[in-house]
Amino acid sequence: MAGGGGAGAAASANLNAVRETMDVLLEISRILNTGLDMETLSICVRLCEQGINPEALSSVIKELRKGTEALKEGQNAGKGS
């Protein structure tokens, strides 16, 4: 009875390795206080794997956060009137 379970076991081991890697990356992200959740971090990793420059991605995230913060401040200022 050779074989059918080998491919499934390999896929399972690969999935476990990916989960462990993402867990480690999330912990590093938390230590560095990046504010990225698992979903966002996963998206960033996939973008980097596709060749996106990590520094450029970081800059975009920072700019988006600045814009979001400015919008929140503008909304809060409008509520106080």
Side-chain angles (χ1 to χ4, degrees):
M1 262 197 146
S12 180
N14 187 43
L15 185 58
N16 286 337
V18 169
R19 284 185 182 143
E20 286 181 26
T21 300
M22 288 307 299
D23 287 344
V24 169
L25 287 175
L26 184 60
E27 188 60 30
I28 292 169
S29 177
R30 287 181 179 146
I31 290 169
L32 295 174
N33 198 28
T34 65
L36 299 175
D37 60 14
M38 181 60 93
E39 181 181 6
T40 306
L41 183 60
S42 177
I43 291 167
C44 290
V45 168
R46 284 184 293 204
L47 287 169
C48 290
E49 287 173 343
Q50 295 297 314
I52 298 295
N53 181 313
E55 290 179 21
L57 182 57
S58 173
S59 295
V60 168
I61 291 170
K62 288 176 185 177
E63 288 300 315
L64 288 171
R65 285 183 174 166
K66 284 181 190 176
T68 301
E69 192 60 36
L71 284 173
K72 286 181 183 177
E73 289 175 8
Q75 289 174 347
N76 288 338
K79 290 179 182 178
S81 303

